[in-house]
Amino acid sequence: MSGIIEASSALRKRKHLKRGINFTVMVVGQSGTGRSTFINTLCGQQVVDVSTTVLLPTDTATEVELQLREETVELEDDEGVKIQLNIIDTPGFGDSLDNTAAFEVVSDYVRHQYDEILLEESRVRRNPRFKDGRVHCCLYLVQATGHGLKEIDVEFMRQLGPLVNVIPLVCKADSLTPEELKLNKRLIMEDVARYGLPIYDFPFDEADVTQEDYDTYTYLRSILPFSIIGSNDVFTQAADAAAAGGPAAGEPQQIRGRKYPWGTLDVEDTTISDFVVLRNALLISHLHDLKDHTHEILYERYRTEALSGEGPTSGPHGPAVTSPTATGATGRSYSRVAGATTTPSAASTPRGEPGESSAGAPTLGSPAGEPSAPGAPGDPYTARDEQIRLEEERLRAFEERVQQELQLKRQELLARERELRDIEARLEREAAAAGED
Ligand SMILES: Nc1nc2c(ncn2[C@@H]2O[C@H](COP(=O)(O)OP(=O)(O)O)[C@@H](O)[C@H]2O)c(=O)[nH]1
Ligand SMILES: [Mg+2]
């Protein structure tokens, strides 16, 4: 079946061959589920140091700060297609008793990227160096338990599903027997259906796809959630004599695997996990689908709601994320700023109510018990004022940026003028010296 996935690499757009494709994936899951190991496995290199993803407890014992740690890796496949893979790890996720704040950090980050695009779109002159930081896919790691989803899983997918392409994974698939894994997958999908969780289930337009693509889509849907096995270790071992098309029998072969007392397991073995299928879908066959879905459906909905001032998506989300700070040669790190997580309205407007996943904008006058604006629960007038305030804030931020740009341009011109004057003076001096000779 993986042949079908590989064959559909024809879907890839050739124009990206030279330029490289920018693709952003966020990996979310409770600590210990194997997030970092999965990232290293996906990238085929040590991108995240497993031992240094230390959890930093904050002032209270039950609160653990969630960090968003971004790394960029350049991947190139055998056809020379380059992918700038931005991968965001989420150390600290799910480690608090109350995970509301962690959900907010993630959703604020996603919204912030949309806000940046919105702002960029409204510029008279585009910034040629603008980087589209939108998250194209959020891989959500569900613990392999043999049961269905836990409350934290349901809540996360419910809240983030309308904003970003969430794909559920069952991690550490090697800890379940094949039957247990099958049951685990079925129970997870039953929960997804029961709670109406808006996951990315490889949607497609039947009228628009070839038979081959149709088979790929339906196959990918049928194996959701993808089961994965991760490893940080690469071993050299003799190739399996039965391996068709691979190195000759007996020839040493590098495998990324896990060593057990009874033997070594290859994470790329398609008979024991869906890792290779997932990697191909993510980085080859469905990379553009994920990007298109992000732009055409998710961002478009966000944009409509933000500009019409409707729904929970309105309002700037900039303060949620600190500006990027260098964490080394490869990456950037975002961490939550205490006390400056969201604007009051964005934080207090309830999100993720059942049914919210549809494009319909939830009303601003919030349901009972949930304040829609500070100090005035459910008051539509206060909500309207709040909305106006947010719009004003957005405009102010925009104005500030324009001012900064102007200032920069002015300084550039002044510097240029000084340079020209210097050149002029030097030429005059040289001419005078030449005259004296
Ligand atoms: N059995 C098994 N263990 C795994 C797998 N992936 C990661 N681990 C182990 O789980 C532990 C936590 O992994 P890590 O990647 O640090 O998890 P994180 O806290 O979610 O980033 C480490 O000891 C890993 O070796 C897997 O697929 N199977
Ligand atoms: Mg980690």
Side-chain angles (χ1 to χ4, degrees):
M1 186 47 85
S2 67
I4 291 180
I5 311 283
E6 273 151 25
S8 66
S9 68
L11 285 172
R12 196 188 292 144
K13 291 170 187 155
R14 297 287 152 194
K15 66 177 179 181
H16 291 290
L17 197 69
K18 280 214 182 81
R19 201 158 24 108
I21 307 163
N22 174 44
F23 190 59
T24 301
V25 176
M26 186 183 262
V27 183
V28 181
Q30 287 181 269
S31 286
T33 49
R35 272 188 337 263
S36 307
T37 306
F38 169 73
I39 291 173
N40 295 334
T41 312
L42 180 70
C43 299
Q45 53 186 283
Q46 197 76 12
V47 177
V48 186
D49 200 341
V50 176
S51 59
T52 59
T53 44
V54 190
L55 303 171
L56 299 169
T58 50
D59 41 350
T60 67
T62 56
E63 280 289 306
V64 177
E65 192 175 330
L66 169 69
Q67 293 175 16
L68 301 181
R69 220 173 272 179
E70 183 179 342
E71 307 285 343
T72 302
V73 207
E74 188 175 284
L75 302 178
E76 187 175 334
D77 71 7
D78 42 7
E79 291 170 30
V81 177
K82 285 199 183 75
I83 300 173
Q84 292 285 338
L85 180 67
N86 308 303
I87 197 146
I88 305 169
D89 193 3
T90 52
F93 180 86
D95 292 334
S96 303
L97 289 181
D98 178 3
N99 294 297
T100 323
F103 293 173
E104 260 167 25
V105 172
V106 177
S107 66
D108 282 346
Y109 180 82
V110 172
R111 289 159 200 262
H112 177 67
Q113 304 308 321
Y114 289 156
D115 280 341
E116 290 283 303
I117 295 274
L118 256 176
L119 210 63
E120 181 61 18
E121 280 179 351
S122 64
R123 279 180 202 283
V124 178
R125 273 184 49 202
R126 302 277 181 151
N127 173 5
R129 282 188 294 274
F130 178 78
K131 182 176 174 280
D132 180 355
R134 284 177 292 185
V135 180
H136 302 117
C137 179
C138 173
L139 298 173
Y140 185 80
L141 274 63
V142 178
Q143 261 160 5
T145 55
H147 298 281
L149 296 175
K150 290 197 286 186
E151 192 188 330
I152 183 174
D153 308 326
V154 173
E155 268 318 303
F156 182 84
M157 291 189 226
R158 180 180 277 164
Q159 293 190 26
L160 271 295
L163 278 174
V164 62
N165 294 316
V166 177
I167 299 182
L169 313 181
V170 178
C171 58
K172 301 193 184 179
D174 55 317
S175 59
L176 297 178
T177 66
E179 283 71 32
E180 285 167 345
L181 182 60
K182 226 161 121 186
L183 176 69
N184 201 180
K185 282 186 167 207
R186 186 164 62 77
L187 292 175
I188 289 172
M189 290 317 280
E190 279 176 10
D191 279 347
V192 166
R194 178 179 310 128
Y195 297 109
L197 303 177
I199 61 165
Y200 179 83
D201 62 351
F202 299 92
F204 64 96
D205 184 352
E206 269 188 47
D208 227 27
V209 294
T210 61
Q211 184 60 43
E212 187 188 42
D213 290 342
Y214 178 86
D215 291 346
T216 308
Y217 281 109
T218 44
Y219 171 67
L220 290 172
R221 276 186 176 188
S222 73
I223 60 165
L224 273 173
F226 296 100
S227 61
I228 52 159
I229 300 171
S231 165
N232 297 297
D233 304 313
V234 175
F235 303 105
T236 304
Q237 67 169 36
D240 184 351
E251 209 174 280
Q253 188 190 7
Q254 292 258 311
I255 65 153
R256 185 171 282 269
R258 302 190 68 83
K259 253 196 176 125
Y260 299 97
W262 56 88
T264 305
L265 170 162
D266 181 354
V267 297
E268 299 201 5
D269 183 343
T270 47
T271 61
I272 50 172
S273 88
D274 306 321
F275 170 71
V276 173
V277 180
L278 170 68
R279 188 179 60 193
N280 287 346
L282 265 190
L283 302 179
I284 303 176
S285 64
H286 285 73
L287 185 144
H288 290 292
D289 271 23
L290 285 159
K291 289 188 77 161
D292 291 348
H293 199 257
T294 304
H295 181 67
E296 290 161 15
I297 310 286
L298 302 170
Y299 168 66
E300 197 51 36
R301 183 194 303 156
Y302 178 87
R303 188 181 162 278
T304 310
E305 289 177 359
L307 293 180
S308 63
E310 287 171 352
T313 50
S314 66
H317 299 93
V321 187
T322 55
S323 40
T325 49
T327 55
T330 51
R332 288 190 284 158
S333 153
Y334 295 90
S335 58
R336 186 190 174 99
V337 187
T341 52
T342 47
T343 54
S345 83
S348 59
T349 311
R351 288 196 282 265
E353 295 297 325
E356 194 198 292
S357 60
S358 67
T363 47
L364 257 163
S366 347
E370 294 279 2
S372 67
D379 181 345
Y381 291 104
T382 322
R384 178 60 64 186
D385 288 348
E386 179 64 5
Q387 212 178 310
I388 292 169
R389 192 186 64 74
L390 288 173
E391 272 312 308
E392 279 172 3
E393 233 168 70
R394 188 191 291 282
L395 280 173
R396 245 198 318 276
F398 176 66
E399 217 176 281
E400 257 169 42
R401 279 183 189 231
V402 173
Q403 286 300 336
Q404 277 169 3
E405 269 182 21
L406 278 175
Q407 192 73 25
L408 222 73
K409 274 271 159 279
R410 202 169 290 141
Q411 280 167 359
E412 268 175 35
L413 282 174
L414 284 172
R416 190 93 194 98
E417 207 177 297
R418 267 198 305 275
E419 250 173 55
L420 285 172
R421 261 205 304 274
D422 288 350
I423 293 172
E424 220 173 78
R426 200 185 63 222
L427 286 175
E428 266 172 28
R429 274 198 308 277
E430 279 170 10
E436 278 170 23
D437 288 343

